[in-house]
């Protein structure tokens, strides 16, 4: 793997070498490389997620996993804990709390991962679960807020005692986390449980998948007009062997249409459908470019409203590799690529963002496991033991720009956490006001 050298690091290396020569020391401590992803099992977006074939299934009611210490989750080297806080149910629901570091992925994912659930053109972060309701063979997690946000969850418990820890630490794309790549051959102790998770929703849900992604257009009409010419719009692509990036081009711009249900009613926007051309595109380019001049097929678009948000969804033929449109193979019939009109802070402001439509009653198998307390402690210990190796490698391979960006991100996260703690304290202890007589 290549090492990025700046002038500063080069001068530092020369100074260190001179010091060693003067002291008569001729040995250098080599930086240990991380493990190769190929050494892991059931890996990548084409593989079936969370399939512990060698682990023994433990029969247990799903709700029991959330009692006591609850379930633990790891996003890279950050942990989170989700648990029931009171075993007395009210209206058949338990109160719950989730402890996690602010700004870090945590809890249970919406779809294949979301930064927000769209309601009436606004992005609502699914950050605060408040209730857990048992329902037959699964549970329903209820989120805080006036908007109806419920996530149906089932867990499968597996005994992973004596299994390698690193093989159970995955990203949402079913790849090893960075923590797993630097980990040794530590194994789970006796009594360790890993939970494979399946999730679904009872109504179609539109999900914002990125906090920073944008299209540069204010409306869906403007978006379609922008990509009617030579340059297509490149879709997100997942890594994999033989994956070909693709782009979309509209044959003509979408025009808003309205209808009246009767003579006295107000006009309402009509749903529309149409087709876009699908092209192979060049990988690794800053701007989207066609690989060949001719289209390889068509996809159908559908303009409609999803939970009050104006949405453009796309349906592709079976000939299109799901990885080419940003979907894992296991999710290709459960999720649809989409674009949503999101309201902005400006008056009547809008912008079009990439999104995903999660179809109701279409279960998603999560690539990331949850764990009981015994397994979570072993994971935390293994992460701690591997941290010096990881830090040494990152220091040797990280550019100065990336290092500064990481430090800036850490400062922003600390500031946001401080503001959050202050707001929570103010909410718990409001200022007392006195009325003048």
């Amino acid at each position: 793997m290549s090492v990025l050298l700046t002038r500063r690091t080069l001068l530092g290396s020369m100074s260190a070498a001179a010091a060693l020569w003067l002291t008569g020391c001729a040995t250098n401590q080599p930086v240990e490389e991380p493990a190769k992803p190929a050494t892991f099992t059931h890996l990548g977006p084409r593989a079936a997620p969370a399939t512990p074939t060698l682990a023994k299934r433990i029969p247990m009611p799903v709700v029991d996993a959330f009692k006591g210490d609850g379930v633990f989750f790891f996003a890279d080297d950050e942990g989170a804990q989700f648990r029931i806080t009171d075993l007395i149910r009210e209206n058949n629901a338990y109160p719950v709390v989730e402890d996690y570091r602010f700004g870090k992925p945590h809890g249970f994912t919406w779809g294949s991962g979301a930064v927000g659930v769209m309601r009436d053109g606004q992005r609502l972060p699914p950050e605060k679960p408040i209730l857990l309701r048992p329902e037959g063979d699964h549970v329903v997690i209820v989120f805080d807020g006036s908007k109806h946000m419920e996530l149906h969850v089932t867990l499968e418990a597996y005994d992973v005692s004596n299994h390698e820890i690193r093989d159970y630490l995955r990203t949402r794309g079913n790849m090893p986390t960075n923590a797993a790549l630097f980990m040794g051959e530590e194994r789970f102790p006796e009594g360790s449980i890993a939970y494979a998770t399946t999730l679904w929703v009872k109504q179609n849900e539109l999900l914002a998948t990125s906090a920073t992604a944008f299209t540069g257009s204010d409306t869906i009409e403007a978006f379609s007009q922008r990509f009617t010419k030579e340059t297509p719009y490149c879709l997100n692509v997942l890594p994999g062997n033989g994956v070909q990036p693709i782009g979309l081009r509209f044959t003509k711009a979408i025009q808003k249409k309205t209808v009246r249900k009767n003579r006295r009613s107000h006009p309402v926007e009509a749903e529309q459908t149409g087709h876009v051309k699908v092209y192979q595109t060049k990988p690794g380019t800053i701007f989207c470019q066609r690989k060949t001049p001719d289209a390889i097929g068509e996809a159908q678009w559908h303009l409609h409203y999803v939970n009050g948000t104006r949405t453009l969804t796309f349906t592709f033929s079976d000939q299109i590799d799901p990885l080419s449109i940003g979907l894992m193979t296991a999710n290709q019939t459960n999720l649809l690529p989409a674009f949503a009109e999101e309201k902005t802070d400006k008056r009547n402001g809008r912008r079009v963002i990439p999104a995903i439509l999660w179809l109701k009653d279409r279960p998603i198998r999560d690539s990331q496991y949850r764990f009981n307390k015994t397994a979570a402690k072993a994971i935390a210990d293994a992460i701690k033991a591997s941290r010096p190796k990881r830090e040494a490698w990152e220091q040797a391979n990280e550019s100065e720009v990336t290092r500064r960006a990481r430090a800036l991100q850490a400062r922003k996260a600390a500031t946001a956490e401080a503001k959050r703690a202050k707001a929570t304290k103010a909410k718990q202890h409001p200022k007392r006001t006195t009325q003048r007589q």
Side-chain angles (χ1 to χ4, degrees):
M1 190 170 292
S2 62
V3 179
L4 300 178
L5 292 177
T6 64
R7 184 183 179 192
R8 179 177 297 179
T9 55
L10 183 60
L11 289 173
S13 300
M14 292 170 64
S15 300
L20 289 172
W21 180 78
L22 289 172
T23 57
C25 180
T27 59
N28 287 322
Q29 189 71 24
V31 175
E32 193 173 350
E33 292 291 322
K36 303 296 183 185
T39 61
F40 293 75
T41 60
H42 300 291
L43 188 72
R46 296 198 194 280
T51 51
T53 54
L54 299 179
K56 182 181 178 181
R57 177 84 178 269
I58 303 174
M60 64 179 290
V62 174
V63 68
D64 286 0
F66 297 92
K67 296 177 180 179
D69 294 307
V71 298
F72 295 78
F73 168 80
F74 287 86
D76 193 13
D77 57 351
E78 296 283 349
Q81 182 183 11
F82 188 110
R83 58 190 171 85
I84 291 173
T85 58
D86 191 338
L87 293 179
I88 299 177
R89 283 187 284 183
E90 186 174 342
N91 296 325
N92 195 38
Y94 296 100
V96 293
V97 68
E98 186 173 21
D99 301 317
Y100 62 95
R101 184 177 174 186
F102 181 73
K104 296 293 183 179
H106 58 95
F108 294 90
T109 59
W110 286 68
S112 56
V115 297
V117 180
M118 300 300 297
R119 290 284 195 279
D120 298 321
Q122 294 181 317
R123 187 185 311 190
L124 305 179
E127 292 285 321
K128 191 178 180 183
I130 56 172
L131 296 173
L132 184 144
R133 185 176 70 246
E135 271 194 17
D137 60 351
H138 69 283
V139 298
V140 180
I141 298 174
V142 181
F143 290 81
D144 189 23
S146 59
K147 306 294 184 181
H148 186 73
M149 294 171 61
E150 293 188 347
L151 191 61
H152 293 247
V153 179
T154 186
L155 301 178
E156 298 169 12
Y158 291 90
D159 182 359
V160 294
S161 304
N162 205 37
H163 287 225
E164 274 199 22
I165 293 175
R166 66 175 197 151
D167 214 26
Y168 287 82
L169 301 179
R170 298 294 171 93
T171 67
R172 288 174 177 171
N174 201 26
M175 296 296 288
T177 64
N178 287 335
L181 293 175
F182 288 96
M183 204 169 283
E185 297 181 354
E186 293 94 340
R187 293 180 177 271
F188 287 111
E190 289 296 322
S192 296
I193 298 175
Y195 300 102
T197 308
T198 303
L199 312 102
W200 67 97
V201 289
K202 300 304 289 185
Q203 64 178 30
N204 290 348
E205 293 287 3
L206 187 64
L207 310 176
T209 55
S210 171
T212 57
F214 63 96
T215 63
S217 301
D218 296 331
T219 65
I220 288 174
E221 286 81 5
F223 173 73
S224 65
Q225 176 65 50
R226 185 174 185 178
F227 297 101
T228 57
K229 301 176 183 179
E230 291 298 315
T231 303
Y233 180 89
C234 279
L235 295 176
N236 180 44
V237 61
L238 296 182
N241 294 331
V243 178
Q244 173 60 57
I246 65 170
L248 308 178
R249 186 180 70 83
F250 293 84
T251 54
K252 61 179 181 179
I254 297 172
Q255 300 294 328
K256 186 175 182 179
K257 297 180 179 179
T258 58
V259 295
R260 293 178 183 267
K261 293 183 179 180
N262 54 61
R263 291 182 179 180
R264 296 182 178 181
S265 64
H266 293 286
V268 295
E269 184 173 357
E271 291 191 14
Q272 297 186 59
T273 59
H275 292 85
V276 292
K277 298 289 185 181
V278 179
Y279 295 86
Q280 290 184 344
T281 57
K282 296 179 181 179
T285 58
I286 297 177
F287 299 104
C288 191
Q289 299 177 28
R290 299 187 206 181
K291 184 177 180 180
T292 56
D294 297 327
I296 60 172
E298 289 186 335
Q300 185 180 53
W301 58 260
H302 181 197
L303 177 59
H304 56 133
Y305 276 82
V306 178
N307 301 327
T309 302
R310 201 161 182 250
T311 307
L312 187 67
T313 55
F314 293 87
T315 305
F316 294 83
S317 68
D318 293 338
Q319 284 69 39
I320 299 297
D321 186 344
L323 274 64
S324 294
I325 56 176
L327 300 180
M328 295 175 62
T329 301
N331 296 336
Q332 60 183 323
T333 60
N334 307 322
L335 306 172
L336 294 179
F339 295 90
E341 279 191 7
E342 181 184 37
K343 296 177 181 177
T344 66
D345 294 336
K346 297 180 180 179
R347 184 177 180 181
N348 298 323
R350 291 175 292 175
R351 64 176 180 175
V352 177
I353 60 170
I356 286 288
L357 181 65
W358 188 4
L359 301 174
K360 67 177 183 179
D361 295 323
R362 300 286 184 89
I364 296 290
R365 181 77 161 192
D366 199 337
S367 298
Q368 296 178 299
Y369 291 93
R370 277 74 186 169
F371 304 93
N372 71 343
K373 185 178 181 179
T374 301
K377 184 181 183 305
I379 293 170
D381 290 343
I383 289 174
K384 183 178 179 180
S386 66
R387 187 162 286 129
K389 172 183 173 181
R390 176 174 178 174
E391 290 176 350
W393 185 90
E394 288 177 343
Q395 185 176 5
N397 288 271
E398 205 171 37
S399 69
E400 187 68 20
V401 173
T402 305
R403 192 174 294 113
R404 289 180 180 179
R406 184 192 292 272
L408 178 61
Q409 186 179 21
R411 288 196 297 270
K412 287 182 176 179
T415 302
E417 177 65 23
K419 290 181 179 179
R420 181 182 180 225
K422 184 177 180 180
T424 301
K425 185 177 179 180
K427 187 176 181 180
Q428 293 174 346
H429 305 285
K431 292 182 179 180
R432 295 181 179 179
T433 57
T434 58
Q435 294 181 350
R436 296 181 179 178
Q437 300 295 328

